[in-house]
Amino acid sequence: MVKYAARGDRSIVEETRPVAVIGSRILTWLNYVMLTGGAVVMLFPFVWMIATSLKYTEDTFTLQLIPSRVTWQHYVDLFGSTAFGNWALNSFIVAAITTVSVSFFGTLVGYILAKFTFAGKAFIFTVILSTLMIPTEMLIIPWYFMSAQLGWVDSYWGVLFPGVISAFGIFMMKQFMDSVPQDLLDAARIDGMGEWGIFQRVVLPLVRPAIATLCILTFLGNWNSFIWPLIIIQSPELLTIPVGLAFLSSELKDSSSWVLIMTGAAVSVLPLIAVFLVFQKQIVRGIAMTGMK
């Protein structure tokens, strides 16, 4: 366009502008169509799950996205005839304790690795990072042998201990701690503030979005955890929701099992949706800040 304009042929420039505008609009509409298609693909299983939980048992396998008859009896049966309440409580206990532990240790260790100088610091950080490259499936056997030797099988601590400290949490918080100005910490030391006071009153408020993001990701991950609780837990009353729903499918062989599984799955996502709605701004801000690192 500039080349033609330099030659004085302004009519060609004026003719190409509408073409560029039309191309931009087409691209925008294509983006909308792709995003809408992705949203439909993502939401369809959730809509189908909720619709199935509201159907009568004999209508379970009908191809109706909107049930012709609606019943809430399956929700009553879920809490009345199964141990779903205990499973939900177990999932909450496991997710809450691991979230508090991971956020505390991740923030503290990340701060030390980012702002303090000591012998072996680079080696320790490298070792922590290297653990991220080991698949969880390879760690399950050592975890189980250790749990068996220490008597942690079929207990809350047996489910909890692999997740009390997260290498990802330490790595994530260190990256955020690097952005905290060192001059601010030195100024606090000159004013006579102790190291623990600096950590609490200066550092933590600055990295609050990162802590919120870490807490949310940790809670969601442990709420949906399946493999390790499936292996370490043997008592039905200690099962978590994902394992409990799998146990339910093995116990009930008729079509009612699918309805109860869909009902349990619909109830299990409610806390996750609530967490996302409450902390939506922190999630978006934290992920955006993570991408800028």
Side-chain angles (χ1 to χ4, degrees):
M1 295 171 58
V2 175
K3 183 178 179 181
Y4 287 119
R7 293 176 179 175
D9 193 354
R10 297 182 180 277
S11 62
I12 297 178
V13 177
E14 293 174 354
E15 290 176 358
T16 56
R17 282 176 180 170
V19 175
V21 172
I22 293 173
S24 176
R25 289 179 179 176
I26 292 175
L27 185 61
T28 302
W29 278 106
L30 285 176
N31 289 333
Y32 278 120
V33 170
M34 292 177 63
L35 290 174
T36 303
V40 171
V41 172
M42 294 289 293
L43 290 175
F44 180 79
F46 291 97
V47 175
W48 184 268
M49 175 182 67
I50 295 173
T52 304
S53 69
L54 297 175
K55 292 179 181 177
Y56 283 83
T57 304
E58 56 270 23
D59 298 335
T60 302
F61 299 108
T62 57
L63 300 178
Q64 292 179 335
L65 192 59
I66 299 176
S68 57
R69 301 181 300 166
V70 175
T71 178
W72 297 93
Q73 185 60 40
H74 303 307
Y75 288 88
V76 177
D77 295 339
L78 181 69
F79 287 95
S81 60
T82 69
F84 188 84
N86 284 337
W87 301 341
L89 179 62
N90 296 334
S91 291
F92 179 79
I93 291 173
V94 171
I97 293 178
T98 52
T99 299
V100 173
S101 176
V102 166
S103 60
F104 175 76
F105 287 110
T107 305
L108 188 61
V109 177
Y111 173 64
I112 293 173
L113 291 175
K115 295 302 178 184
F116 289 85
T117 302
F118 53 89
K121 171 183 169 181
F123 174 75
I124 293 173
F125 185 58
T126 303
V127 171
I128 293 174
L129 283 183
S130 63
T131 60
L132 291 173
M133 305 175 190
I134 303 175
T136 303
E137 290 76 9
M138 292 183 63
L139 298 173
I140 286 178
I141 295 178
W143 287 346
Y144 188 83
F145 276 116
M146 187 174 73
S147 301
Q149 291 177 354
L150 297 175
W152 294 346
V153 176
D154 199 26
S155 66
Y156 276 123
W157 181 243
V159 183
L160 287 169
F161 86 89
V164 292
I165 298 179
S166 167
F168 170 75
I170 295 173
F171 169 73
M172 177 180 168
M173 293 310 302
K174 180 189 178 300
Q175 298 304 104
F176 277 93
M177 294 296 181
D178 286 335
S179 64
V180 176
Q182 185 64 40
D183 294 340
L184 199 61
L185 307 181
D186 294 337
R189 293 190 180 99
I190 293 173
D191 289 340
M193 188 178 292
E195 293 298 333
W196 185 250
I198 294 173
F199 177 70
Q200 280 186 302
R201 300 168 62 182
V202 177
V203 175
L204 290 184
L206 293 176
V207 297
R208 191 175 298 165
I211 296 174
T213 305
L214 179 61
C215 289
I216 293 165
L217 295 177
T218 304
F219 185 88
L220 298 182
N222 285 279
W223 181 269
N224 293 320
S225 179
F226 177 75
I227 295 179
W228 178 242
L230 175 67
I231 294 173
I232 199 67
I233 294 298
Q234 300 172 356
S235 302
E237 63 271 14
L238 292 179
L239 297 179
T240 56
I241 287 180
V243 185
L245 293 179
F247 173 77
L248 200 62
S249 65
S250 63
E251 290 295 310
L252 302 176
K253 301 298 183 183
D254 55 3
S255 58
S256 63
S257 64
W258 288 105
V259 180
L260 286 178
I261 291 171
M262 289 294 181
T263 307
V267 175
S268 68
V269 300
L270 293 180
L272 306 183
I273 295 175
V275 168
F276 177 77
L277 293 178
V278 173
F279 299 102
Q280 185 176 6
K281 290 184 179 179
Q282 286 82 357
I283 292 174
V284 174
R285 185 180 177 188
I287 293 176
M289 292 178 67
T290 305
M292 290 189 294
K293 296 296 177 184

